[in-house]
Amino acid sequence: MSNTVDQAAQAAQRRPHVRFSTDVPRQSANDQRQRTADLGTAGLLAARQVVKSYYKERLAIPVLRGVDFAVRDGEFVAIVGQSGSGKSTLLHLLATLDAPDSGEIHFGGRRIDNLPSTSRDLLRNRCLGMIFQFYHLLPELTCLENVLTPCMIAEGVWNYWRRRRTFRERAEHLLEMVGLSHRLKHKPRELSGGEMQRAAIARALVADPEILLADEPTGNLDQKTGQGIMDILTQLNSEGLTVVMVTHDVTVAARADRIVRLVEGRVEPEI
Amino acid sequence: MYKLLLSWRYLRTRYIALASIISVTLGVATLIVVNSVMAGFTREMHKRLHGILSDIVFESHGLDGFPDPEWHMQQIRQVVGDDLEGITAVVHVPAMLNFQVREQWITRQINLIGIDDRTYASVSDFGQYLLHPENRRQLSFLLREDGYAPDKPGFPESGWKYRRLKTAYERAYEEQLQLEQERIREIAGDAAGAAPAEPNPPLAAPPGDPFGVAADPFTAGAEQGARTFDPMTEQFTGIILGIAIGSVRHRDPEGKVQDFFLCRPGDEVQVLFPSSGAPPKPVKETFTIVDFYESKMSEYDSSFAFVPISKLQDLRMMIDPQTGVTSVTSIQLKLRPGADLNAIRDNLQRRFPPNEYTYRIQTWRDMQGPLLAAVQLETTILNILLFLIIAVAGFGILATFFMIVVEKTRDVGILKALGAPSGGVMSIFLSYGLSLGLVGSGVGMVLGLLFVWNINDIAAVVEWITGREVFDPTVYYFREIPTIINPLTVAWVMAGSVLIAVLASVLPARHAARLHPVEALRYE
Ligand SMILES: Nc1ncnc2c1ncn2[C@@H]1O[C@H](COP(=O)(O)OP(=O)(O)O)[C@@H](O)[C@H]1O
Ligand SMILES: [Mg+2]
């Protein structure tokens, strides 16, 4: 294990389990299991018969043809599939960034794909963390400000100003955990790919989400840097964070608890 | 919070948008400059017009006027009440003015105004346009010793001093001429001689003509019995001439504007005007110039001449020989500041209804209506044009903003993925537009105000570069460009341009808010 990852692991152990206020009611893990069992959908996040097509000049391009799959609390799931198989599409649907043509998405036992947009915004802001292949940091903001963005979105000017110290401490903690404490004031373009992805992870975690959705987090990185990112993700998972990762790289996927294969718009039965 | 932070960062990193806002800035600056100069012009014009004209003028249609001004004034006082500050009676008559410059007679068409020297200054700023400081304080139709126009460096020597010098010089010249003629006669040996005055007929002027009378020893001698007028110590009735009647404005070879005075206080002029009654007969009278009147409104400066009202009434036979009741052609009123001119005019019109009395009752604005309206129209049109220019600049901003939003498509996707609502995304770009508008119009305001404060220096620089005068003083009678900065106008202009910037950012901001998050994230 590399030195930085060691540090990251240590930092993660110190990570305070501060819960940030949310308007979306949360249940304890026990409650959730109870509720999801009632609904007949196993897990924290689940897709049921999800169908999604893109339309190009009235011509439907079916991408997902009925995906059924569930993530249990605390699990590390890798979704693998060829390029163009609809992995990103599925992840976007899970994150409520897009709506399925038919089927349902459930989170913590509640259906979320048909929620009004304000509720979905809140959900994304507080319960779901996302990281992307191309990091997607805001180029105008420094590393620290990027990490703080979800807090700024969550709070009004006055509240944010009042609690800026708490937020800042938390963001610095997370950046320290991912090994970026020396890059707080740097703009994304002054960072390497691995550093950007770590900043993105810190940003995804700042609101203390229940699940992390990662879209090919290592897709743009060399193997060693990719391994570093994977170390952080497994570390986080071992601390209880549910992770759903999309990848086309089988070696990366091998580090997950479970692999879900997406073939021709359907989940291939597990072997 | 992120909205403020991001719009602030966009403001600091997108200088191209500042370039687009410069068009608004320039528009705002121009608007401020134009409005200030127009306001300055208008105020200067109002001040002058109003300074010359009293608040309300009560006028007869004909030149014979109306009798008994005292009764009218009393009636007016009753109607106007406490709002009245000053009132005076005036006689107006068109006239012809002649004076001699180096053997040549110059004729001018003038507007002869008989005024009451005690009350006339109370209805208008008349006094302050006179050249002699004493006359500014208290008007007098008596020639002053000297000290005319202390603030005009090139003004020639005037007053009694000049008059005595001139008379002495003319007498010496006559003597010289006479000696010369006697010498010629002796040489010719003509003992009998012709009539003494004949060899030099132009010098012999009819009695009453001051140009000849006192200056010609022959005629003076011939009229030994009559009272002799001595220009060394005596003057005719005083007249105050508009300065452009007695001077010409021209440019010297270096291009500087200068006044050349054809006559000056101390000189005599002849005035010809119609008497009252039917049919009017011409009346000719000599006056001594006692001062000039310079309002800087060329229309008035080149036509007004003021004489004492009693003298004019007497000459025009406007005094009833039996009763001694006088007539005047108009009564001028000065009202308390802030009085409602139009209401008082209407009240007066009700008291003197047009079907019973042939009086024209007008406020000074009525009298100068077309001129004031023209200036107003000009200002309005300029404002509309410049605002259109700013609106054009607004479309430039619209295009630039759209480019920026397109450039920021992926950031919009990221923000939405992080849970930012559409409204929040929209307000990023709206507050961006707002801050750009504020910055642009703020800079524009500073530029505009600086321009206005230094406008005369700038005009001088432009003059120096182009070699042409920006504001020709021979035309405008302004030595400096007058400006007024009206804070309200500046505020309106600012508000307008900020509004344009915000409006221009509405469409791009809406576009950003409606972006589909997935498509925005996939955008390369
Ligand atoms: N906006 C779109 N319009 C049409 N087709 C699309 C659109 N977005 C994605 N697709 C298609 O959907 C399929 C799945 O895309 P994606 O989910 O990005 O695949 P992956 O992430 O597995 O590589 C691809 O074939 C892609 O061409
Ligand atoms: Mg993909």
Side-chain angles (χ1 to χ4, degrees):
Chain A
M1 238 186 215
S2 75
N3 211 11
T4 32
V5 174
D6 264 340
Q7 281 172 0
Q10 278 164 19
Q13 246 126 45
R14 290 198 303 271
R15 172 185 160 204
H17 281 267
V18 191
R19 286 266 155 166
F20 282 69
S21 70
T22 68
D23 297 332
V24 176
R26 297 183 173 205
Q27 300 95 357
S28 72
N30 276 336
D31 271 358
Q32 280 169 9
R33 284 205 189 93
Q34 188 61 43
R35 298 270 311 270
T36 46
D38 290 348
L39 281 162
T41 23
L44 179 63
L45 187 64
R48 280 176 52 186
Q49 284 303 311
V50 167
V51 175
K52 179 74 184 174
S53 307
Y54 289 109
Y55 291 88
K56 201 84 197 163
E57 283 144 16
R58 290 210 214 114
L59 194 75
I61 306 168
V63 178
L64 302 178
R65 304 160 192 255
V67 171
D68 258 318
F69 115 105
V71 186
R72 280 181 291 275
D73 200 2
E75 212 178 9
F76 189 159
V77 180
I79 301 174
V80 295
Q82 283 181 329
S83 185
S85 57
K87 307 181 294 290
S88 299
T89 307
L90 178 60
L91 207 69
H92 291 150
L93 290 174
L94 291 175
T96 69
L97 283 170
D98 208 350
D101 296 343
S102 72
E104 296 173 1
I105 312 287
H106 289 264
F107 175 73
R110 291 201 306 165
R111 191 173 168 191
I112 55 170
D113 59 286
N114 59 355
L115 286 176
S117 66
T118 43
S119 313
R120 280 186 284 132
D121 289 337
L122 265 175
L123 189 80
R124 279 202 299 276
N125 185 232
R126 293 173 191 185
C127 304
L128 305 173
M130 287 196 86
I131 58 176
F132 307 89
Q133 180 178 358
F134 296 104
Y135 330 118
H136 285 347
L137 297 173
L138 294 171
E140 271 80 20
L141 304 185
T142 65
C143 198
L144 183 64
E145 285 163 345
N146 260 296
V147 174
L148 284 169
T149 308
C151 306
M152 293 193 231
I153 291 175
E155 306 289 342
V157 175
W158 168 242
N159 274 335
Y160 180 81
W161 187 251
R162 224 161 31 106
R163 298 174 58 190
R164 67 190 183 284
R165 284 229 173 73
T166 331
F167 289 138
R168 207 188 138 101
E169 259 167 39
R170 173 133 176 82
E172 280 173 2
H173 249 301
L174 288 169
L175 281 166
E176 203 185 325
M177 184 204 86
V178 298
L180 275 184
S181 45
H182 57 301
R183 290 274 191 271
L184 301 184
K185 296 271 183 264
H186 286 241
K187 293 277 172 70
R189 83 183 106 78
E190 297 156 0
L191 300 176
S192 72
E195 286 168 331
M196 280 197 268
Q197 195 59 289
R198 288 192 225 172
I201 292 172
R203 180 178 67 184
L205 295 178
V206 77
D208 197 21
E210 295 175 21
I211 192 162
L212 180 70
L213 304 174
D215 190 352
E216 311 219 23
T218 60
N220 230 29
L221 300 173
D222 61 80
Q223 191 153 13
K224 189 150 181 274
T225 325
Q227 285 302 326
I229 298 295
M230 285 312 295
D231 289 342
I232 295 171
L233 292 186
T234 35
Q235 179 65 41
L236 288 168
N237 178 247
S238 71
E239 282 163 30
L241 182 72
T242 313
V243 179
V244 177
M245 181 182 67
V246 156
T247 181
H248 64 271
D249 187 339
V250 187
T251 52
V252 169
R255 297 189 59 167
D257 299 343
R258 188 157 66 96
I259 296 176
V260 175
R261 268 171 225 287
L262 208 56
V263 177
E264 291 188 347
R266 284 197 182 84
V267 173
E268 208 167 63
E270 284 173 51
I271 312 152
Chain B
M1 188 67 199
Y2 66 107
K3 307 164 198 165
L4 297 180
L5 184 67
L6 278 174
S7 49
W8 170 241
R9 285 290 153 84
Y10 291 168
L11 193 66
R12 285 201 21 208
T13 52
R14 296 286 171 290
Y15 290 114
I16 186 69
L18 273 179
S20 80
I21 211 81
I22 283 175
S23 46
V24 169
T25 302
L26 289 179
V28 170
T30 323
L31 254 182
I32 288 175
V33 171
V34 163
N35 273 307
S36 306
V37 171
M38 290 307 276
F41 252 90
T42 312
R43 186 190 56 177
E44 199 75 0
M45 261 183 50
H46 275 217
K47 221 169 76 187
R48 298 226 172 119
L49 288 174
H50 195 191
I52 296 154
L53 303 166
S54 48
D55 288 328
I56 291 184
V57 177
F58 189 99
E59 229 177 356
S60 78
H61 291 292
L63 282 180
D64 288 355
F66 49 87
D68 205 356
E70 282 74 25
W71 178 80
H72 283 90
M73 288 194 200
Q74 200 192 331
Q75 294 298 312
I76 290 167
R77 274 199 195 92
Q78 273 173 16
V79 173
V80 181
D82 288 342
D83 281 338
L84 194 68
E85 269 199 347
I87 186 162
T88 192
V90 167
V91 174
H92 276 275
V93 63
M96 196 174 87
L97 177 128
N98 303 306
F99 58 91
Q100 201 180 18
V101 182
R102 295 200 207 96
E103 310 289 314
Q104 200 182 353
W105 282 93
I106 290 179
T107 302
R108 293 275 158 94
Q109 182 184 329
I110 61 161
N111 202 345
L112 193 64
I113 304 167
I115 57 172
D116 182 343
D117 53 3
R118 285 173 301 106
T119 56
Y120 190 68
S122 70
V123 298
S124 68
D125 296 336
F126 170 76
Q128 75 183 55
Y129 298 128
L130 300 176
L131 295 192
H132 199 284
E134 284 296 310
N135 282 345
R136 273 181 222 166
R137 223 166 41 73
Q138 176 58 51
L139 168 65
S140 156
F141 281 105
L142 295 177
L143 189 62
R144 307 265 177 189
E145 178 63 25
D146 62 352
Y148 282 90
D151 40 2
K152 266 188 192 304
F155 195 75
E157 185 73 48
S158 310
W160 277 114
K161 230 177 177 175
Y162 157 73
R163 189 173 168 87
R164 281 195 297 270
L165 265 171
K166 182 185 81 164
T167 315
Y169 173 79
E170 275 170 2
R171 283 183 183 168
Y173 179 74
E174 289 308 325
E175 254 167 47
Q176 199 65 38
L177 206 65
Q178 203 190 335
L179 283 176
E180 200 68 14
Q181 282 168 350
E182 265 166 27
R183 221 158 55 86
I184 290 168
R185 237 174 285 148
E186 273 167 23
I187 289 166
D190 189 349
E198 257 189 16
N200 201 2
L203 287 172
D209 183 353
F211 295 93
V213 175
D216 191 340
F218 292 102
T219 15
E223 288 202 9
Q224 209 56 263
R227 197 184 73 81
T228 315
F229 180 83
D230 180 11
M232 283 291 215
T233 55
E234 286 177 88
Q235 68 163 90
F236 293 92
T237 311
I239 187 168
I240 294 169
L241 285 190
I243 193 157
I245 300 174
S247 71
V248 278
R249 181 160 274 199
H250 69 110
R251 276 170 197 282
D252 65 11
E254 283 124 59
K256 281 217 194 88
V257 176
Q258 279 184 338
D259 291 321
F260 175 73
F261 289 89
L262 301 169
C263 56
R264 40 182 129 160
D267 283 332
E268 259 88 26
V269 292
Q270 272 187 348
V271 183
L272 211 71
F273 51 87
S275 72
S276 72
K281 285 183 276 298
V283 178
K284 189 167 87 171
E285 179 67 10
T286 304
F287 293 93
T288 301
I289 303 172
V290 294
D291 207 343
F292 280 134
Y293 164 85
E294 186 178 24
S295 66
K296 300 197 171 158
M297 290 291 294
S298 58
E299 186 193 339
Y300 299 121
D301 286 351
S302 62
S303 72
F304 280 2
F306 302 90
V307 295
I309 189 169
S310 49
K311 180 75 179 174
L312 192 58
Q313 282 169 328
D314 184 29
L315 290 167
R316 295 195 65 219
M317 294 170 282
M318 291 173 90
I319 305 172
D320 193 310
Q322 267 99 53
T323 59
V325 170
T326 60
S327 293
V328 297
T329 58
S330 76
I331 292 176
Q332 303 192 352
L333 317 185
K334 162 95 175 160
L335 302 179
R336 185 177 54 76
D340 184 351
L341 296 188
N342 290 347
I344 291 170
R345 174 199 60 198
D346 295 342
N347 286 344
L348 285 171
Q349 274 169 350
R350 267 193 292 280
R351 172 65 189 81
F352 298 100
N355 48 3
E356 283 177 49
Y357 300 89
T358 55
Y359 303 141
R360 189 164 44 203
I361 303 167
Q362 288 178 304
T363 68
W364 69 276
R365 273 179 221 279
D366 299 338
M367 298 175 78
Q368 287 299 338
L371 186 57
L372 297 180
V375 172
Q376 191 57 47
L377 183 72
E378 215 170 302
T379 313
T380 313
I381 287 177
L382 271 173
N383 268 310
I384 291 172
L385 285 180
L386 285 169
F387 232 96
L388 281 179
I389 289 175
I390 294 183
V392 170
F395 280 96
I397 298 175
L398 182 82
T400 317
F401 274 21
F402 245 113
M403 304 279 287
I404 287 171
V405 167
V406 167
E407 191 202 331
K408 293 277 143 221
T409 298
R410 195 168 352 163
D411 294 19
V412 170
I414 297 167
L415 286 170
K416 287 191 168 177
L418 294 177
S422 295
V425 171
M426 183 153 168
S427 54
I428 289 176
F429 291 98
L430 279 185
S431 51
Y432 179 47
L434 179 72
S435 38
L436 267 182
L438 285 175
V439 169
S441 56
V443 172
M445 181 186 78
V446 171
L447 284 182
L449 291 181
L450 282 178
F451 194 99
V452 171
W453 283 325
N454 299 303
I455 193 160
N456 286 300
D457 301 330
I458 292 168
V461 170
V462 172
E463 246 161 63
W464 180 73
I465 291 171
T466 61
R468 303 183 88 247
E469 204 145 5
V470 179
F471 273 89
D472 191 340
T474 55
V475 180
Y476 288 99
Y477 268 87
F478 297 129
R479 297 215 179 259
E480 293 211 317
I481 303 167
T483 57
I484 298 181
I485 293 162
N486 183 352
L488 196 71
T489 314
V490 174
W492 268 111
V493 166
M494 300 274 292
S497 53
V498 169
L499 190 74
I500 283 178
V502 171
L503 283 181
S505 62
V506 164
L507 274 181
R510 249 172 47 129
H511 172 77
R514 289 184 176 182
L515 279 176
H516 194 281
V518 170
E519 273 162 33
L521 278 174
R522 285 186 197 260
Y523 181 84
E524 289 301 320

